[in-house]
Amino acid sequence: MAAPQDEEIRGRTQQAPLASQRARKQGQSQPGRVAKWFPLGAKEGFCQWWAGMSPMATEHRVLSFIPYLQKPPTQTQSGSAPASAAPSTADLNAPPKNPEAHATTSTLTDPYGPRQWNSVMVPLSGKDRALNEFSVERLGEEVEQNLVMLHGYGAGLGFFYRNFEALSRAEGWKVYALDLLGMGRSSRPAFKIHAKDKQGKITEAENWFIDALEEWRIKRGLERFTLLGHSLGGYLAVTYALKYPGRLNKLILASPVGIPEDPYAVNEAMPEPQDSTMGNEFTQDAAAATADNNNFMKQRDGGKAATDDKEPPRRRLPGWFSYVWEANVISPFSLVRWSGPLGPRLVSGWTTRRFSHLPEEESQALHDYSYSIFRQRGSSEYALGYLLAPGAFARSPLIQRIQGVGRQWIQPHDGLIVDGDTPPKAASTSQDVPPRAGQRENGIPIVFMYGEVDWMDVAGGFAAEEKIKQERMRILENATAEERKKDNGEAKVVIINKAGHHVYLDGWDQFNRVMLEEMADVKRREARRQRA
């Protein structure tokens, strides 16, 4: 229940961006073309821009929708610089000013408690490098397993607000969610690439994120963990598994970007592609994700029929957009910052389409949260041009590297190479060396999750599944019975019914059930591994 101060602030800032859609459902007049794409009114957009609601306050508001956690902890050491010189009134009802915050739910208020919820900024080495972390654990139990959750491009950990409570019911688990370096409320250091060659630029951009994740892991003292990544977070999760082998016990990829190969994206000259699927992230209505259709059975059938019959509309990119993308001088969030008072209206076009299926209070909170983090100073958002070509195809497609996940030699790696059958030359870096150094991984389970009407091509998941299975057959062709027994190299594709790209939010109930099943599987596998 929102406090009176919250309602007063909201009344002074903006109306719900979904109001136009709800009005249409009630039979009111249809909006014009501008209002259709930018539902937030000009006056309300200006008020929101002027109020300058902080990422801290908006994240706090989103997390307040977590069941049994009406007053979530919210650390106040935001890594983002203020986006506007205008004084902000949005923090009047924000949490106390302390750098690290805890909240405990008891069995009196929480039927699955007691649980401890924590929010903290974790400092990393170097200048202006820190990760925003939100975590929850069950009190009175030993933490046996850890789940780490990574969001997608430009988003933040608050987007997982419908997953934290359910996933933290699992006994013996601690759940972490992180804002990627340079996104969300994590610090935003200047993003610079020093490499001159194409592959060097790709590797440097990938390392920006995954080296920060590895440093965070060391600070938290996690020996092994389960990694969940959505969209770009899924892409980065794969690259982390390749560079830092021996650390994961399962990899879960929720609608990961960058799996299929596209000749435009991998070509050295990087020419302009003719079509884009990335546009569907901004044009696909969430309502379409809940439509009743028969796409599920077609996707199960190898993904071919899904791509033939339900392929999202492909849109031609203008030449100027490809030019500035390749020049790496623009990002979707640059437009939000440059547009000033028009920024909230631009964001409302996306939030309306993505969150229209949610209750109005929640969709409004997500709009506020999205705008507050989109408008912060640019940082790792500029990595996108080095990792993806216009159209969301990877410069270095994961389908070329996915077979190496879980099959690497357990030793420090300088780069993101796929190891062969003989140990590569040891890296010169001073990485934290796993106890099994010198051995080769015996595979890890990989789960590919897609929405039933996902604009991300599920065929890429099926192709990756097949490639992983083929590599397993090759590895075990001459293996002993004991080696076969210890091998964990499996892969599968899971479809979340009536969900789009944001599977964890569109189909949150089924998503949470699938996740709990996968977490239970991790515990069984780890118990067998420790007995061996």
Side-chain angles (χ1 to χ4, degrees):
M1 186 72 180
Q5 295 95 324
D6 284 337
E7 298 303 326
E8 183 182 353
I9 293 169
R10 182 151 323 285
R12 295 201 305 266
T13 55
Q14 80 276 358
Q15 297 176 2
L18 300 178
S20 62
Q21 280 197 356
R22 301 183 195 279
R24 290 200 302 273
K25 292 179 181 178
Q26 296 170 4
Q28 297 179 18
S29 60
Q30 296 292 318
R33 179 173 297 180
V34 173
K36 177 181 178 181
W37 288 100
F38 308 113
L40 192 64
K43 180 179 180 181
E44 291 79 15
F46 178 85
C47 290
Q48 183 177 8
W49 170 78
W50 181 257
M53 299 177 73
S54 73
M56 178 189 70
T58 57
E59 178 191 276
H60 182 76
R61 174 63 175 158
V62 169
L63 297 182
S64 70
F65 291 103
I66 297 175
Y68 318 118
L69 187 66
Q70 289 75 27
K71 294 183 179 180
T74 308
Q75 59 84 13
T76 59
Q77 292 185 338
S78 180
S80 304
S84 171
S88 172
T89 60
D91 292 342
L92 294 177
N93 198 44
K97 296 282 185 179
N98 55 306
E100 182 171 358
H102 300 271
T104 302
T105 53
S106 69
T107 52
L108 295 177
T109 58
D110 180 358
Y112 301 99
R115 289 182 279 193
Q116 180 170 281
W117 310 74
N118 181 51
S119 174
V120 63
M121 185 72 78
V122 181
L124 305 177
S125 61
K127 182 181 179 181
D128 194 21
R129 296 178 72 248
L131 297 184
N132 183 38
E133 170 197 297
F134 184 77
S135 64
V136 54
E137 63 182 301
R138 299 166 61 85
L139 297 178
E141 297 177 3
E142 180 183 357
V143 176
E144 301 172 357
Q145 304 295 333
N146 296 277
L147 172 66
V148 178
M149 308 170 71
L150 302 180
H151 60 78
Y153 178 69
L157 60 82
F159 279 58
F160 293 117
Y161 76 101
R162 284 202 167 193
N163 315 118
F164 293 129
E165 190 279 321
L167 301 186
S168 61
R169 295 179 189 179
E171 295 183 4
W173 281 82
K174 183 169 184 176
V175 178
Y176 293 93
L178 301 174
D179 281 341
L180 294 170
L181 183 63
M183 295 184 186
R185 292 184 61 211
S186 290
S187 65
R188 294 181 175 241
F191 180 81
K192 296 180 180 179
I193 294 293
H194 304 284
K196 301 301 181 182
D197 62 296
K198 175 192 171 185
Q199 186 55 52
K201 291 177 180 179
I202 295 172
T203 300
E204 195 172 340
E206 292 172 342
N207 285 340
W208 165 280
F209 298 102
I210 64 177
D211 288 351
L213 174 60
E214 173 65 1
E215 188 175 352
W216 172 87
R217 179 199 66 80
I218 294 172
K219 286 215 167 207
R220 283 290 172 252
L222 307 185
E223 187 59 41
R224 288 163 59 85
F225 61 98
T226 296
L227 183 57
L228 162 68
H230 171 252
S231 196
L232 179 65
Y235 175 99
L236 296 172
V238 171
T239 61
Y240 176 86
L242 290 173
K243 185 173 182 180
Y244 296 103
R247 295 305 180 189
L248 301 184
N249 47 36
K250 179 169 283 191
L251 183 61
I252 304 175
L253 307 176
S255 192
V257 73
I259 290 183
E261 184 173 344
D262 179 82
Y264 291 107
V266 299
N267 188 279
E268 185 66 31
M270 298 183 186
E272 175 187 345
Q274 299 303 310
D275 302 296
S276 172
T277 55
M278 178 65 88
N280 287 283
E281 169 63 7
F282 301 96
T283 59
Q284 183 190 56
D285 286 357
T290 59
D292 186 14
N293 57 58
N294 298 317
N295 198 33
F296 173 61
M297 294 305 295
K298 295 177 181 178
Q299 287 178 320
R300 289 184 58 189
D301 187 22
K304 184 178 186 303
T307 56
D308 290 344
D309 297 342
K310 289 294 182 178
E311 184 177 0
R314 300 174 69 84
R315 303 171 186 274
R316 182 179 297 273
L317 288 174
W320 67 266
F321 183 83
S322 289
Y323 173 79
V324 295
W325 182 302
E326 301 292 4
N328 204 41
V329 297
I330 195 172
S331 78
F333 313 114
S334 300
L335 300 177
V336 173
R337 290 188 291 269
W338 295 344
S339 61
L342 295 178
R345 299 194 71 190
L346 293 177
V347 175
S348 73
W350 178 75
T351 55
T352 295
R353 288 172 175 79
R354 285 312 318 144
F355 310 132
S356 60
H357 62 299
L358 298 173
E360 187 170 353
E361 262 195 310
E362 295 179 32
S363 62
Q364 179 64 57
L366 286 171
H367 167 79
D368 296 344
Y369 177 56
S370 299
Y371 175 63
S372 71
I373 58 179
F374 289 177
R375 75 191 303 223
Q376 301 307 304
R377 70 166 180 251
S379 178
S380 61
E381 66 192 61
Y382 298 116
L384 190 67
Y386 295 103
L387 301 179
L388 305 178
F393 287 101
R395 308 284 194 190
S396 179
L398 296 183
I399 195 65
Q400 298 177 355
R401 301 185 275 172
I402 196 69
Q403 75 279 6
V405 174
R407 302 296 181 185
Q408 301 286 80
W409 290 89
I410 303 178
Q411 63 185 46
H413 286 63
D414 278 329
L416 295 155
I417 60 171
V418 175
D419 292 342
D421 292 336
T422 57
K425 183 179 178 181
S428 58
T429 55
S430 56
Q431 299 177 17
D432 186 34
V433 181
R436 295 184 291 146
Q439 301 179 32
R440 191 176 190 180
E441 293 179 294
N442 56 0
I444 60 173
I446 305 178
V447 180
F448 298 88
M449 265 195 235
Y450 292 89
E452 187 179 2
V453 287
D454 203 327
W455 64 263
M456 201 67 70
D457 191 358
V458 69
F462 285 113
E465 177 188 23
E466 182 61 27
K467 194 165 186 179
I468 291 167
K469 289 180 178 179
Q470 291 176 359
E471 180 68 3
R472 183 175 189 266
M473 291 174 61
R474 189 191 70 82
I475 291 287
L476 298 181
E477 185 176 6
N478 300 312
T480 65
E482 185 65 21
E483 289 172 335
R484 289 175 176 272
K485 183 179 178 180
K486 290 182 178 180
D487 194 88
N488 287 307
E490 301 176 2
K492 65 179 178 181
V493 175
V494 176
I495 305 297
I496 303 299
N497 300 334
K498 301 181 181 179
H501 180 54
H502 295 261
V503 292
Y504 57 91
L505 193 57
D506 296 340
W508 60 273
D509 191 41
Q510 182 188 355
F511 176 88
N512 290 341
R513 292 198 304 270
V514 171
M515 283 296 302
L516 288 171
E517 291 169 2
E518 297 301 331
M519 292 162 70
D521 177 67
V522 167
K523 289 193 69 173
R524 289 191 295 268
R525 290 175 184 269
E526 288 298 293
R528 288 198 301 267
R529 185 182 68 87
Q530 293 172 5
R531 289 195 301 266

